[in-house]
């Protein structure tokens, strides 16, 4: 399948690589099918894109939360995870969305709304974490800079 995207232009996506969100994503319940794209040109390997199949102009930057918060381990309601099928540790992928404003020093991730993907069957959901432990806008610029300097 080929789609024309806002971020990457025209891209080919193998249908067996599509990630299905049975309930859509928060704020966009009609967007249920996504592909994970990687921006190798920028040389940034930590940031990926969840590209909507239904709406080519819609793509969300995402990343592994453990890169910026090593102890990230939210509790997600089992009921929410049921549509994903049996989850094993090896097949569970957790991502968080990024907000990248014009001023990069204000870059944040949403630790309160993780995306959970069962990589075995490519089903996913977005959860809302209860409590105050995780923030919607967790600043990451300085953390990424420190990691980059330490490499």
């Amino acid at each position: 399948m080929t789609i024309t995207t806002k971020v990457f232009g025209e891209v080919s996506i193998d249908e067996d690589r599509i990630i299905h969100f049975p309930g859509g994503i928060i704020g966009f319940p009609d967007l249920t099918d996504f592909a994970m794209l990687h921006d190798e040109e920028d040389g940034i390997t930590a940031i990926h894109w969840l590209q909507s199949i239904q709406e080519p102009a819609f793509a969300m930057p995402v990343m592994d939360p453990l890169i910026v918060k090593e102890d990230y381990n939210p509790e997600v309601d089992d009921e929410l995870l049921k549509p994903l099928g049996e989850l094993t540790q090896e097949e569970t992928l957790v991502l968080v969305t990024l907000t990248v404003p014009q001023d990069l020093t204000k870059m944040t991730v949403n630790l309160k709304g993780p995306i959970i993907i069962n990589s075995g069957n490519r089903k996913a959901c977005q959860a809302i974490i209860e409590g105050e432990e995780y923030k919607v806008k967790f600043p990451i610029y300085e953390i990424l800079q420190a990691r980059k300097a330490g490499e």
Side-chain angles (χ1 to χ4, degrees):
M1 152 187 328
T2 301
I3 62 172
T4 302
T5 69
K6 183 177 179 180
V7 177
F8 295 98
E10 195 170 280
V11 294
S12 291
I13 298 169
D14 292 334
E15 293 200 27
D16 64 349
R17 306 285 299 162
I18 292 174
I19 301 165
H20 181 68
F21 287 72
I25 58 170
I26 296 170
F28 301 92
D30 296 335
L31 300 182
T32 57
D33 294 320
F34 289 81
M36 183 91 68
L37 302 178
H38 312 279
D39 196 353
E40 281 116 18
E41 282 184 24
D42 278 354
I44 302 171
T45 56
I47 299 173
H48 310 288
W49 293 83
L50 268 181
Q51 171 65 55
S52 170
I53 302 299
Q54 288 104 337
E55 179 53 59
F58 185 85
M60 296 184 300
V62 294
M63 71 183 305
D64 179 343
L66 298 178
I67 292 172
V68 293
K69 184 144 179 63
E70 292 176 5
D71 63 347
Y72 187 68
N73 190 19
E75 282 191 35
V76 178
D77 185 0
D78 288 340
E79 273 306 303
L80 184 64
L81 300 176
K82 274 187 181 175
L84 306 187
E86 186 178 334
L87 282 170
T88 65
Q89 189 169 357
E90 296 80 29
E91 291 182 333
T92 302
L93 175 62
V94 177
L95 300 170
V96 291
T97 57
L98 279 89
T99 300
V100 185
Q102 207 136 21
D103 178 357
L104 292 180
T105 65
K106 308 270 190 245
M107 190 177 349
T108 62
V109 292
N110 179 355
L111 295 177
K112 199 150 185 81
I115 293 169
I116 298 101
I117 301 171
N118 179 336
S119 63
N121 64 14
R122 294 175 317 284
K123 288 186 179 178
C125 69
Q126 186 173 18
I128 298 290
I129 306 304
E130 300 293 328
E132 302 300 316
E133 184 178 359
Y134 297 113
K135 298 182 182 328
V136 172
K137 293 190 176 281
F138 181 76
I140 63 167
Y141 181 79
E142 289 181 11
I143 296 168
L144 292 177
Q145 292 303 316
R147 286 185 69 98
K148 191 175 179 180
E151 288 181 348

